[in-house]
């Protein structure tokens, strides 16, 4: 991460200014680690799927969260293009995904938009522009309790103290 802020003139399509990001603009270490891990996995996916693609992950809310128990949201951007004028065709893929992590309840909402454009211009001029939007959510629940109802850890090193384990062990020994 370069931790820089760029000012861009979108009309002229030029970068006007680049400066180091201030501490207030940077995400907390917890969010940055989460964002970095997501960006690394996304880069692997984009590298395998889109040979000339690029991607980025930005935190747009909750950047000050110091640990679990806070809400935060990322925007994921994927862009790829293939220009082949010698073959009379060009194409591009753009997708933007909002991933919203909510702590109570443990919910993840994903909203996305995919834009695909294709241009074929041999003996004519054909354009294809497609747009599709998606939305989904899921609740992440712990697969098991952190502690059992008795509020004590399970003694995996000495399971023979439980009658079920002794019974199963006896049955297996008898069967041999």
């Amino acid at each position: 991460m370069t931790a820089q802020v760029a000012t861009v003139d979108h009309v002229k399509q030029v970068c006007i200014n680049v400066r180091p990001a201030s501490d207030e603009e940077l995400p907390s270490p917890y969010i940055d680690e989460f964002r970095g891990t997501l960006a690394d996995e996304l880069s692997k996916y984009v590298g395998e799927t889109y040979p000339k693609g690029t991607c980025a992950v930005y935190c747009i809310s909750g950047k000050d969260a110091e640990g679990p128990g806070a809400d935060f949201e990322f925007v994921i951007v994927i862009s790829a293009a293939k220009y082949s004028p010698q073959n009379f065709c060009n194409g591009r893929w753009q997708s933007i995904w909002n991933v919203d992590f909510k702590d109570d309840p443990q919910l993840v909402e994903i909203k996305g938009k995919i834009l695909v454009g294709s241009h074929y211009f041999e003996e004519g001029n054909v354009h294809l522009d497609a747009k599709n939007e998606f939305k989904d959510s899921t609740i992440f629940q712990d697969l098991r309790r952190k502690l059992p109802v008795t509020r004590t850890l399970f003694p995996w090193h000495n399971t023979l103290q439980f009658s079920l384990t002794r019974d199963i062990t006896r049955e297996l020994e008898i069967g041999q």
Side-chain angles (χ1 to χ4, degrees):
M1 181 168 96
T2 60
Q4 296 181 338
V5 176
T7 306
V8 177
D9 183 339
H10 294 284
V11 175
K12 295 180 182 175
Q13 295 186 352
V14 294
C15 181
I16 298 171
N17 185 25
V18 176
R19 64 174 174 78
S22 66
D23 288 342
E24 295 82 33
E25 294 171 311
L26 294 173
S28 69
Y30 172 75
I31 294 295
D32 196 46
E33 180 182 355
F34 202 103
R35 186 206 59 77
T37 302
L38 185 59
D40 290 344
E41 292 301 315
L42 183 64
S43 292
K44 290 178 196 173
Y45 165 75
V46 169
E48 294 170 3
T49 309
Y50 308 101
K52 294 187 179 183
T54 187
C55 61
V57 179
Y58 303 101
C59 182
I60 61 169
S61 70
K63 71 177 182 67
D64 297 326
E66 293 297 330
D71 298 349
F72 53 94
E73 183 175 7
F74 291 128
V75 171
I76 298 171
V77 181
I78 301 172
S79 180
K82 182 169 183 172
Y83 300 110
S84 186
Q86 70 276 14
N87 293 322
F88 306 103
C89 62
N90 299 315
R92 74 179 182 285
W93 170 281
Q94 298 169 320
S95 60
I96 301 171
W97 302 92
N98 288 57
V99 184
D100 193 4
F101 296 88
K102 296 185 180 177
D103 186 60
D104 189 33
Q106 290 183 335
L107 179 73
V108 176
E109 291 182 337
I110 300 173
K111 293 180 276 186
K113 183 188 331 183
I114 296 175
L115 304 165
V116 178
S118 179
H119 181 206
Y120 182 75
F121 50 92
E122 183 179 20
E123 297 182 16
N125 196 7
V126 179
H127 284 269
L128 167 71
D129 289 315
K131 176 176 137 180
N132 205 349
E133 295 189 16
F134 302 90
K135 185 176 182 179
D136 199 4
S137 65
T138 184
I139 295 178
F140 281 105
Q141 296 178 346
D142 292 335
L143 296 177
R144 59 177 175 230
R145 298 173 189 256
K146 304 265 187 276
L147 290 173
V149 177
T150 61
R151 309 292 292 165
T152 58
L153 293 174
F154 187 83
W156 290 102
H157 60 281
N158 186 15
T159 60
L160 289 176
Q161 69 181 342
F162 297 99
S163 63
L164 178 61
T165 306
R166 282 193 306 266
D167 295 344
I168 291 173
T169 305
R170 269 191 232 124
E171 289 294 322
L172 291 174
E173 289 173 1
I174 293 171
Q176 294 179 354

